Every structure is written in C-alpha cells, then in structure tokens.
Amino acid sequence: MMQNLIELVDKKLDEYMPIIYPEDIFKAMKYTVTLPGKRLRPVMCLETTRMFGGDINKALPTACAIEMLHAQSLIHDDLPCMDNDDFRRGKPSNHKVFGEANAVLAGDALLTFAPQLVIEKSDLSDEIKLKLVHEFTKWGGAHALIAGQVVDIESEGGKLVKSPEETLNFIHMNKTAALFRLAIRSGVIIASAGVNILDKMDIFAQKFGLAFQVYDDIMDEISTFEELGKTTGKDKNSGKLTYVSLYGLEEAKNKFNSLIEDCYAIINEHPSEIFGSILNKLRARIKK
Ligand code: GRG
C-alpha cells in the first residue's frame, strides 16, 4: 500500500539525517525534507523497483535521496531571488525559518548529500550505483532541472526564445518531469529490468510528469491555500506562462486527461495498484 511506503520513506529520512555539528545546516536540511509532502517521487522509485522484481529495501537510500533532491529544488525555488514564496508544505519556507544564507547552503548540501547517500547506504553493485549517480547528475543539473528553472525565469521576464507552447513544454519537461524520470528510471535500474523496460517506463515518467504539472497549474487556479499548503493564484496574478494561462482551463483539463489516458495505457501492461491509485486520485480531483 502507498501509505506503507510513505511511512518507510519517512522513517528512513529521519534515520539518514541526524542533527550533528554544525547543527544549523543539518536542521535546515532536515526541515524541508521531513515536512509532510506527498512523497510521490520516492514512492514512484520504490514501486517501480517492486514492479520489475527488485528489492525495495535496496532502493530505500535512492528513494530518500530523490526526496532530498526534490526538497532542494523546493528550498531554492522559494528563495526571494527565485519564486519568492513564504510557505511550503503548509509551513514557512526554509529561508523564512533559517535565513537566506542557510537556505541556500541547505539546498547545496542536499544536492551533494543525495548521491553520497546512494553510494554509502545502498546494498547494490558498484555498476548499479554508478548508473544511479549518473541519473542524479543528469536530471538534477543544467541539462534538466536547472535548465527548466532558467527558462521559467526568462519567460517570466518576457524573454521567449521559442514559441509559448514549446517554452512551456520545455519548462515542465525539465522542472517537473525530470525528477519523475529520475525516480522511475532509478527503480528500473535497481531492479535490473533492462533497456526495453527502461525506455517504456521513461515515456510513462515523461507523460506522468507533464500530466502532474498540468494538474498543478489547474489546482493553482481552482484551489485554496488550505488545500495545497502553499500560496495559490500567484501564477495567474503574476501573468505567468502556465497551461491554464496559455490554453484556458477547459483545454488544460483536456490535455491533462489525454496525458493520463496515455499513462493508463502503459501502466495497464505492467499492473501497479499504487500507480493506478495515484492516477485515479489526480483524475478524480480534476473532474470535480
Ligand atoms: C540547484 C539543482 C538545482 C536546482 C535549482 C529551483 C530549481 C532549480 C528548480 C525548481 C523546480 C521546481 C520547484 C519545480 C516544481 C515542481 C513541482 C510540481 C513541485 C511540487 O511537487 P509536489 O506537489 O510537492 O510533489 P510535495 O510537497 O508534495 O512533495
């Protein structure tokens, strides 16, 4: 069950992050990582490992490391020089609690701690660890996550090098789908499931990542702070390029539904109660 995996991840996150000297940095790192989030990415990594015959205990360090990388991107995204948000996961954002310098450093520290954890704590062959660290560097860096953030910032400043459609697609393939790809590809790699499965699940991760971002844009438009635990309506108010601002609410919903259908088609070939229930939940919220 999904809740069991979340509890497993939470227990391990706590265990992997003791507060040691100098406490300020370890507290700042642990704060955002352990605030209650959906734990979607670590769960996706564990579930993919299970689906293809791998041992989820061997995947736990990687799953937790992916949540750390995700938390890093949230901490930096909330900084005044980026999206300037005071709340995250229903609580004050990292820089609001620990100050800007510590928030920058906590993000940097999580970024480097994530692959360190994979190497030090995983009961996996060196070959698999090398592949996993490659995935971390590939999806977390300037070729994916950072590229998405840069184009997002550029587009907010009115600088569009490509068409609005291409720009929006580029931003979300890199800002959101990249970590879904990291999570799912890592699961396939840990299970040693081979290149055909890797390619197929990679397409699933891309579709799911985009669907999730369209969902996020729609929820930003139609939900409240209490429902999401973060400021809402900000994108609309700042004139930001989103699926809703570009296509309108109805067309954004159509795009979401079409991507989710593609996801079901792939996952039906490799049944997963957990992926099924995540897709069902997202679809049910958008239908309301
Ligand atoms: C220095 C590696 C590096 C990166 C910095 C700041 C940045 C580049 C990228 C920002 C990426 C970002 C914030 C993307 C948004 C993705 C997104 C939909 C986040 C919300 O994910 P949820 O809903 O959140 O899964 P929870 O809190 O449930 O985990």
Side-chain angles (χ1 to χ4, degrees):
M1 262 196 17
M2 180 137 172
Q3 193 52 36
N4 297 346
L5 294 187
I6 293 174
E7 280 164 23
L8 207 53
V9 167
D10 282 341
K11 187 169 150 271
K12 282 289 172 186
L13 283 173
D14 183 55
E15 181 187 313
Y16 292 144
M17 304 187 83
I19 305 298
I20 54 173
Y21 179 81
E23 294 195 355
D24 282 357
I25 187 64
F26 290 101
K27 281 183 181 162
M29 288 162 75
K30 195 166 187 172
Y31 173 74
T32 303
V33 172
T34 56
L35 282 178
K38 294 182 284 298
R39 308 286 184 256
L40 213 47
R41 295 156 191 80
V43 165
M44 291 194 291
C45 172
L46 296 176
E47 176 61 359
T48 309
T49 303
R50 187 206 61 78
M51 280 163 72
F52 297 103
D55 176 353
I56 63 164
N57 290 311
K58 295 189 177 187
L60 271 170
T62 303
C64 291
I66 294 169
E67 186 66 10
M68 290 177 196
L69 185 61
H70 169 55
Q72 173 275 321
S73 73
L74 302 178
I75 294 171
H76 282 182
D77 192 54
D78 290 337
L79 286 169
C81 62
M82 301 253 185
D83 213 26
N84 191 19
D85 218 310
D86 291 353
F87 291 94
R88 175 63 69 176
R89 295 178 158 173
K91 290 276 186 292
S93 13
N94 200 286
H95 64 275
K96 284 278 150 189
V97 180
F98 299 97
E100 262 184 74
N102 278 330
V104 170
L105 293 170
D108 293 344
L110 287 168
L111 196 59
T112 51
F113 186 48
Q116 183 188 343
L117 191 67
V118 173
I119 291 168
E120 288 178 1
K121 300 284 183 191
S122 310
D123 177 17
L124 295 165
S125 69
D126 286 350
E127 193 191 342
I128 290 182
K129 285 185 193 177
L130 187 61
K131 284 185 184 170
L132 293 172
V133 171
H134 183 213
E135 296 291 323
F136 270 83
T137 53
K138 193 161 63 177
W139 304 114
H143 294 91
L145 193 59
I146 295 177
Q149 182 76 346
V150 168
V151 175
D152 194 14
I153 293 169
E154 281 183 358
S155 77
E156 263 188 83
K159 180 175 167 191
L160 288 196
V161 175
K162 299 178 184 214
S163 71
E165 291 79 6
E166 281 174 305
T167 306
L168 188 60
N169 195 57
F170 183 90
I171 292 171
H172 296 314
M173 277 303 292
N174 288 288
K175 270 187 74 171
T176 305
L179 293 194
F180 281 46
R181 295 174 83 177
L182 169 63
I184 287 172
R185 291 171 62 92
S186 296
V188 175
I189 290 167
I190 292 166
S192 300
V195 76
N196 289 344
I197 296 288
L198 186 65
D199 289 346
K200 198 195 280 182
M201 289 306 287
D202 188 47
I203 291 171
F204 173 78
Q206 293 178 49
K207 302 257 184 202
F208 190 21
L210 273 187
F212 188 74
Q213 188 57 55
V214 185
Y215 168 87
D216 203 62
D217 284 356
I218 296 171
M219 293 313 268
D220 185 72
E221 177 90 9
I222 66 175
S223 302
T224 62
F225 176 85
E226 288 69 30
E227 283 168 309
L228 296 190
K230 60 179 182 180
T231 320
T232 58
K234 218 169 112 208
D235 294 350
K236 184 167 68 177
N237 300 335
S238 65
K240 202 176 156 139
L241 185 60
T242 72
Y243 283 95
V244 178
S245 71
L246 187 61
Y247 298 104
L249 189 56
E250 278 318 301
E251 192 45 35
K253 284 187 180 181
N254 291 340
K255 278 200 181 305
F256 167 81
N257 283 322
S258 148
L259 286 162
I260 291 284
E261 286 313 316
D262 293 346
C263 291
Y264 278 119
I266 297 172
I267 221 66
N268 283 344
E269 287 177 45
H270 303 282
S272 155
E273 199 188 304
I274 286 181
F275 277 117
S277 88
I278 300 172
L279 293 173
N280 289 346
K281 247 186 237 162
L282 294 181
R283 202 167 57 167
R285 293 229 180 98
I286 291 299
K287 269 209 179 116
K288 268 199 279 178

